[in-house]
Amino acid sequence: MFGDALGQDASVLRWRVDIAKAHPARVYDLFLGGTDNYPVDRAAALAANPRGYLDIRHNRDFLRRAVTTLTAQDGIRQFLDIGTGLPTRENVHQIAQRIGPDSRVVYVDNDPVVLAQVYTLLTSRSEGRTDYIDADLKQPARILEQAAKTLDFDQPVALVLAAVLHFVEDEEAYRAVRELVYALPSGSRLVLSRLTEDVNPEAIRAVRRTYTERGFTFVLRSNRDVERFFTEAGLVLEEPGVVPVHRWRPDGAAPSPEQADPAHLATFDAIEMIRFHDINDVTDADINIYAATGRKA
């Protein structure tokens, strides 16, 4: 089921999609091995950081581990995923509802690139419920009002902000997180990941240039800046704290890369090869994303 914000037909939404310049959601999808991208997205990805797929895919695997932990170990059955991006393999509702079939998930995004995909790709198990809100992270009151149609705010909710806060200026970002967390009941969680220049500044600054030249806000934050999202919202930071995304409770269960005939691999370019790379081929210098989870007392 989807919210009334999606009353527009997908074909109407597509005319709002600009394919003349690179787009964050499409570049993210590209690094996950997706096909919803254009030449401008491919050029931007290669110019920024050819090994950027390691950031993106490890971020996605962190999301898998976090949602699995919250559902299987902590009994969370409600998720509010803001800045969800393009639907891809193992979306939040698929992970959560596989473990807890009655789980409810609300996705939030305000991007026509994303909205145009929602109709056919985000389908829920009959026992649970999946909904979608067309809204901006900077509008927490609207998000909460619409999400309350699906989620029960008397029961714990996991607020998911995965790789989205770097697109929001500092004070707006901290304010939005505070307001969202304030509305959640005791026992709720914050699942957060975001880009940093602490680890590999030269590479990530090239990524920032790629986006800012295309008119996008792009804010890099330190470990202490990331901790601030939790402390200002009154959350208890959970173990192992704020760490590079591939070091957040690794379980060795990252999806295996696709297989292909070696003769065919020789015909693929660098972007096409991404889905055949094993993400365990990673060093700390490859990762520019911090990840953490926190609990509301």
Side-chain angles (χ1 to χ4, degrees), residues 81 84 91-93 105-109 122 130-133:
D81 183 0
T84 182
N91 299 289
V92 169
H93 74 283
V105 179
V106 172
Y107 294 104
V108 182
D109 214 302
L122 295 184
T130 302
D131 210 345
Y132 198 100
I133 300 170

Side-chain angles (χ1 to χ4, degrees), residues 159 161 177 181 188-192 229-230 235 292-295:
L159 171 62
L161 298 170
V177 173
V181 171
S188 292
R189 302 297 203 280
L190 171 61
V191 177
L192 184 151
F229 283 108
F230 294 86
L235 296 166
T293 62
R295 175 177 54 83

Side-chain angles (χ1 to χ4, degrees), residues 54-55 57-59 61-62 65 199 243-252 279-280 282-291:
L54 289 166
D55 269 334
R57 290 177 61 188
H58 276 285
N59 180 71
D61 199 53
F62 156 69
R65 300 192 305 275
V199 183
V243 295
V245 70
H246 65 309
R247 296 192 176 278
W248 191 92
R249 305 187 192 182
D251 60 5
I279 65 171
N280 292 305
V282 63
T283 67
D284 287 348
D286 287 313
I287 297 300
N288 304 284
I289 297 182
Y290 280 136

Side-chain angles (χ1 to χ4, degrees), residues 6-296:
L6 290 181
Q8 304 174 76
D9 184 84
S11 62
V12 175
L13 287 164
R14 289 191 176 94
W15 73 266
R16 293 167 51 191
V17 177
D18 183 359
I19 64 171
K21 65 178 182 179
H23 190 282
R26 295 197 304 257
V27 172
Y28 190 97
D29 177 71
L30 181 154
F31 277 139
L32 289 173
T35 58
D36 293 301
N37 51 77
Y38 298 92
V40 289
D41 304 306
R42 297 162 72 91
L46 288 173
N49 182 8
R51 286 175 67 81
Y53 68 88
L54 289 166
D55 269 334
I56 301 305
R57 290 177 61 188
H58 276 285
N59 180 71
R60 197 72 189 180
D61 199 53
F62 156 69
L63 185 63
R64 174 190 64 80
R65 300 192 305 275
V67 172
T68 298
T69 298
L70 291 174
T71 310
Q73 297 182 20
D74 300 326
I76 300 293
R77 292 294 182 270
Q78 301 190 109
F79 295 83
L80 178 58
D81 183 0
I82 302 178
T84 182
L86 286 167
T88 185
R89 290 173 294 181
E90 292 293 274
N91 299 289
V92 169
H93 74 283
Q94 293 168 318
I95 301 166
Q97 291 177 359
R98 183 168 58 246
I99 300 166
D102 59 337
S103 297
R104 296 184 172 200
V105 179
V106 172
Y107 294 104
V108 182
D109 214 302
N110 68 333
D111 193 322
V113 172
V114 175
L115 290 169
Q117 298 293 321
V118 166
Y119 294 93
T120 57
L121 297 181
L122 295 184
T123 56
S124 175
R125 284 175 179 249
S126 58
E127 302 97 320
R129 187 173 175 185
T130 302
D131 210 345
Y132 198 100
I133 300 170
D134 181 2
D136 194 303
L137 175 58
K138 301 173 188 177
Q139 305 170 307
R142 170 175 165 74
I143 290 172
L144 292 165
E145 177 187 6
Q146 294 295 318
K149 298 175 182 179
T150 301
L151 304 178
D152 178 0
F153 283 101
D154 290 327
Q155 299 297 320
V157 175
L159 171 62
V160 179
L161 298 170
V164 64
L165 287 168
H166 39 261
F167 296 118
V168 185
E169 295 288 359
D170 275 337
E171 295 313 311
E172 281 191 310
Y174 289 113
R175 175 191 61 80
V177 173
R178 286 195 305 269
E179 291 184 20
L180 288 164
V181 171
Y182 180 78
L184 304 181
S186 175
S188 292
R189 302 297 203 280
L190 171 61
V191 177
L192 184 151
S193 65
R194 58 146 302 104
L195 285 164
T196 181
E197 59 182 343
D198 283 359
V199 183
N200 189 9
E202 184 176 346
I204 199 62
R205 286 169 186 166
V207 174
R208 179 172 58 188
R209 284 195 300 272
T210 296
Y211 282 117
T212 56
E213 287 170 358
R214 288 159 176 80
F216 294 102
T217 296
F218 204 85
V219 183
L220 300 173
R221 296 186 176 96
S222 68
N223 186 295
R224 182 174 295 181
D225 294 333
V226 175
E227 283 191 4
R228 181 182 162 194
F229 283 108
F230 294 86
T231 57
E232 285 198 358
L235 296 166
V236 177
L237 194 61
E238 297 180 306
E239 291 295 331
V242 178
V243 295
V245 70
H246 65 309
R247 296 192 176 278
W248 191 92
R249 305 187 192 182
D251 60 5
S256 300
E258 292 186 26
Q259 302 297 314
D261 187 309
H264 288 156
L265 290 178
T267 67
F268 295 152
D269 64 20
I271 292 295
E272 292 167 329
M273 282 295 296
I274 286 174
R275 65 183 187 274
F276 302 103
H277 291 314
D278 185 349
I279 65 171
N280 292 305
D281 172 28
V282 63
T283 67
D284 287 348
D286 287 313
I287 297 300
N288 304 284
I289 297 182
Y290 280 136
T293 62
R295 175 177 54 83
K296 186 171 182 178

